[in-house]
Amino acid sequence: MSATLFYEDAIDLLDADHKLVQKLFLDFQGLCDNGGPSETKGQLVVKICQDLTVHTQIEEEIFYPRVRAAIDDDALMDEALKEHAEAKEVIARIQGMAPTEDGYDTAVMHLFTTVIDHVMDEREKVFLKARYSVADLRGMVPELHERKKKLQKEVQTKAPTPSSAGKKKVAS
Ligand SMILES: [Fe+2]
């Protein structure tokens, strides 16, 4: 079935990513609150980091450049890229940590806050401006969808498992 039948437009597809990752963060918070096993937390965080990596990349490769060209607000798009860069720094830090390490939960919750702030900005500013621009939001869906599927496969083979991240840390 074509991706265009699943998603109304690019915003719909991207916001579905936001909702999914928000749910994963809430699951992580639930595990922290209930003293859940580190292994489960680590697996969840691997998924969160992979999903965010893919999401930011399809935005940066496809959605942002088209929106930038259509809305004439470079400052807004630069700010969105800056927020992505901040999130990527936190993701890289978390990927180098073991789930049992001190500060792990705090780092993940910091990422949650960073992501939520960015999502709010994106919804209220970028998506809003894109919606009323000439950008072909429907036309972008198949491209975003295809690129997302390809990147998902790539990150799944590349990303460290929580335990290997921990081992690497000990060895260095
Ligand atoms: Fe986003």
Side-chain angles (χ1 to χ4, degrees):
M1 193 183 285
S2 159
T4 43
L5 296 177
F6 288 118
Y7 302 107
E8 200 177 304
D9 59 20
I11 292 173
D12 191 28
L13 182 150
L14 295 169
D15 213 35
D17 284 351
H18 293 156
K19 285 172 191 152
L20 176 64
V21 84
Q22 195 169 347
K23 189 206 166 288
L24 296 176
F25 274 118
L26 291 172
D27 289 347
F28 178 84
Q29 200 170 28
L31 283 169
C32 291
D33 292 346
N34 297 308
S38 299
E39 202 187 328
T40 313
K41 280 156 71 177
Q43 285 163 353
L44 196 53
V45 171
V46 165
K47 166 91 177 124
I48 288 172
C49 292
Q50 286 174 346
D51 284 1
L52 286 173
T53 300
V54 171
H55 175 82
T56 51
Q57 199 164 333
I58 61 172
E59 282 190 335
E60 288 179 20
E61 285 181 8
I62 301 165
F63 183 71
Y64 282 5
R66 313 275 170 90
V67 173
R68 185 187 284 268
I71 66 169
D72 191 25
D73 190 345
D74 282 347
L76 178 63
M77 300 316 294
D78 289 346
E79 182 60 27
L81 286 174
K82 202 176 129 205
E83 288 174 2
H84 273 191
E86 284 166 15
K88 284 179 200 173
E89 272 181 35
V90 188
I91 289 170
R93 189 153 57 87
I94 291 168
Q95 285 178 326
M97 293 175 91
T100 47
E101 215 171 308
D102 276 354
Y104 184 80
D105 294 355
T106 311
V108 176
M109 292 318 289
H110 174 54
L111 180 62
F112 188 16
T113 313
T114 306
V115 168
I116 287 295
D117 287 349
H118 173 63
V119 168
M120 297 313 282
D121 271 356
E122 212 161 62
R123 282 179 181 156
E124 288 166 15
K125 297 170 190 171
V126 180
F127 287 175
L128 196 68
K129 284 209 167 186
R131 178 90 65 203
Y132 293 102
S133 77
V134 294
D136 181 8
L137 297 176
R138 272 176 187 269
M140 270 182 247
V141 170
E143 203 178 339
L144 285 165
H145 187 70
E146 284 307 310
R147 187 69 182 126
K148 185 176 161 180
K149 279 199 299 189
K150 197 162 179 248
L151 287 169
Q152 274 171 336
K153 279 190 196 141
E154 278 179 30
V155 293
Q156 276 161 16
T157 31
K158 264 193 246 162
T161 61
S163 55
S164 73
K167 277 179 203 149
K168 225 164 91 188
K169 185 100 186 164
V170 172
S172 60

